[in-house]
Amino acid sequence: MKKRRNTETKDAVLKVLENAGKALSRDAIEQKISIDINRATVYRVLNRFCEDGVLHKVVAEDGKQYFAICLNCEEKLLQEQHFHFKCTKCDTIECLHIAVNFTAPTGYAVEGVNCIVTGVCKDCT
């Protein structure tokens, strides 16, 4: 992991995601941060956290990006390639600790997997 300097913004973003326990969009993260921060800085911090393997990005079916720390993932493979569940009632996304088993056809090199299951979460049923 590349060494990066600590900033108030990085600490604030990380704390919000750690406390959330589920994936949050950039705007939801900004709403929970108590310091003055601009959108570009938040995106930059989130993308660097993704590059460094601190969190992962989930792109929902509508194209909106969500960011999550997989707190209970023990294996790096599971952290990177697992299913996510998006609730159609409360609009939250959470990690499902079910590994994605996918084999690409010969000649294809898979660089990422984005699997989202939609439905009603356990809190909304």
Side-chain angles (χ1 to χ4, degrees):
M1 181 164 76
K2 187 176 182 179
K3 180 72 174 160
R4 302 191 193 270
R5 70 183 178 95
N6 285 332
T7 65
E8 184 180 22
T9 301
K10 282 175 56 178
D11 291 343
V13 168
L14 192 58
K15 187 172 191 141
V16 165
L17 287 165
E18 286 173 340
N19 291 334
K22 58 181 76 178
L24 296 176
S25 63
R26 186 245 344 126
D27 52 330
I29 293 167
E30 283 181 18
Q31 290 174 1
K32 295 178 183 290
I33 293 176
S34 58
I35 61 172
D36 188 30
I37 189 170
N38 73 38
R39 181 177 299 177
T41 301
V42 174
Y43 270 124
R44 188 170 43 256
V45 166
L46 291 169
N47 286 322
R48 285 188 181 147
F49 279 148
C50 288
E51 290 169 12
D52 293 345
V54 175
L55 54 91
H56 60 276
K57 185 185 322 184
V58 180
V59 181
E61 72 281 353
D62 61 359
K64 191 169 186 175
Q65 296 179 357
Y66 294 81
F67 300 86
I69 295 175
C70 206
L71 299 173
N72 299 317
C73 293
E74 296 174 8
E75 302 174 27
K76 187 161 178 54
L77 176 65
L78 183 58
Q79 183 177 0
E80 292 175 354
Q81 298 180 355
H82 59 273
F83 285 93
H84 296 89
F85 188 91
K86 182 175 183 200
C87 182
T88 55
K89 284 192 175 184
C90 66
D91 204 35
T92 61
I93 291 184
E94 59 185 294
C95 298
L96 298 178
H97 300 285
I98 302 167
V100 176
N101 295 313
F102 173 78
T103 304
T106 304
Y108 290 84
V110 176
E111 295 179 355
V113 176
N114 186 35
C115 297
I116 296 182
V117 178
T118 58
V120 181
C121 73
K122 62 184 178 202
D123 295 333
C124 292
T125 54

